[in-house]
Amino acid sequence: MNHLIAPSILAADFANMQRDVEMMNNSRADWMHFDVMDGMFVPNISFGFPVLKAVKKYALKPIDVHLMIVDPDRYLKAFAEEGAYSITVHYEACPHLHRTVQAIKELGCKASVAINPHTPALLLKDIIAQLDMVLVMSVNPGFGAQKFIPHSYTKIAEVRELAKNVNPGLLIEVDGGVDDTNAAQLLAAGANVLVAGNSVFSAPNPAAAITALKQVTY
C-alpha cells in the first residue's frame, strides 16, 4: 500500500491552529496526529478535549489520537465523541489491554497500540491480530524534536514479522524524529504511517515538506 503521512499537531503553531489545520487540509497529508499528554505517563502536558473539538471543527482529514496518559479507558468514549478516527493507547499504560482494544472498536474507532522504545515488540504477540495499527515510538514519548532512536528500524521489522501471518494488513506507524533522512529506511523496515512534527512545521514550506515525505520510495 502507499504509505500515509500524519503531521503532528503538537508541532504546529498553537496561536495559529486554524491556519495550520487548513494547511494540512490542502496538503498531501492523510491524517492529523493529535498527541494527548497528561504529565504523569509522560513528563509533559499537551492538550485535550477543547483543542480536539476546535481542530475537528476545521479538519477535513481523519484525526489520529495518541493517548500518552495513564488509565486511558476513562476517556475513550469522550475522545471518540469529539471526533477521533483512530485511538492509540500505550501497552505500558493498559493492564487489561484486550478489553481496552475492544472498547475502542465498539466506539467505532480504529484501535491502535503504541510501544515505547524499551518495550519488546514480542509483547504484542497475543493482541496483534486484533489491532488496526501498532505505533512504534522512535523517541521516548513526551516531547517533540527529539533525536531518532536507530533501533526503531529493527523493532518495526519485528512488528511486521509478528503480523505477517495473523494480520497482514496491519498499519505500522512510527513517531519521533521522522524526516527525509530516515523515511525511506522506515518504509523499507515495514512502516506505512509516518508521523512528522518538527520536520514539517519547522520547514520553510510545511506543505512541501509533507509532499516530500509522501513521495519517498525505497
Side-chain angles (χ1 to χ4, degrees):
M1 62 168 288
N2 293 327
H3 63 278
L4 308 179
I5 305 298
S8 175
I9 291 172
L10 186 66
D13 182 348
F14 293 176
N16 291 283
M17 187 68 78
Q18 180 181 348
R19 179 201 66 190
D20 285 354
V21 168
E22 290 175 347
M23 179 278 294
M24 288 185 278
N25 285 339
N26 294 317
S27 75
R28 293 190 63 188
D30 299 282
W31 295 350
M32 299 180 187
H33 190 77
F34 190 89
D35 288 310
V36 180
M37 305 179 188
D38 64 358
M40 292 184 287
F41 182 69
V42 293
N44 196 11
I45 296 173
S46 59
F47 36 57
F49 304 120
V51 177
L52 178 58
K53 186 174 183 178
V55 169
K56 180 62 178 174
K57 181 178 179 181
Y58 298 103
L60 301 179
K61 296 182 178 182
I63 300 176
D64 175 34
V65 173
H66 178 193
L67 299 182
M68 289 175 269
I69 64 176
V70 297
D71 195 8
D73 298 74
R74 295 173 294 167
Y75 301 112
L76 299 177
K77 185 173 185 289
F79 277 107
E81 289 175 345
E82 292 297 347
Y85 165 77
S86 63
I87 298 177
T88 297
V89 296
H90 271 259
Y91 174 91
E92 303 84 1
C94 296
H96 306 290
L97 184 59
H98 187 270
R99 180 184 298 160
T100 303
V101 167
Q102 284 182 314
I104 294 171
K105 291 191 170 191
E106 287 169 2
L107 290 166
C109 298
K110 300 296 184 182
S112 171
V113 171
I115 50 175
N116 283 339
H118 72 280
T119 301
L122 186 61
L123 292 175
L124 297 176
K125 181 176 183 292
D126 291 336
I127 193 70
I128 201 163
Q130 281 75 52
L131 300 180
D132 297 299
M133 184 167 74
V134 168
L135 168 53
V136 175
M137 292 301 301
S138 46
V139 299
N140 288 295
F143 297 94
Q146 293 187 68
K147 187 175 180 181
F148 177 84
I149 298 173
H151 179 66
S152 305
Y153 299 123
T154 300
K155 185 174 289 187
I156 290 165
E158 290 170 349
V159 173
R160 181 57 66 199
E161 182 64 22
L162 278 178
K164 182 171 66 175
N165 295 322
V166 297
N167 191 355
L170 180 76
L171 294 175
I172 299 179
E173 186 173 52
V174 58
D175 182 3
V178 174
D179 58 27
D180 57 2
T181 69
N182 55 27
Q185 193 170 350
L186 290 168
L187 298 177
N192 46 22
V193 184
L194 303 181
V195 176
N198 191 59
S199 65
V200 166
F201 287 100
S202 68
N205 184 334
I210 292 169
T211 296
L213 287 171
K214 187 69 177 175
Q215 291 178 335
V216 169
T217 58
Y218 64 96

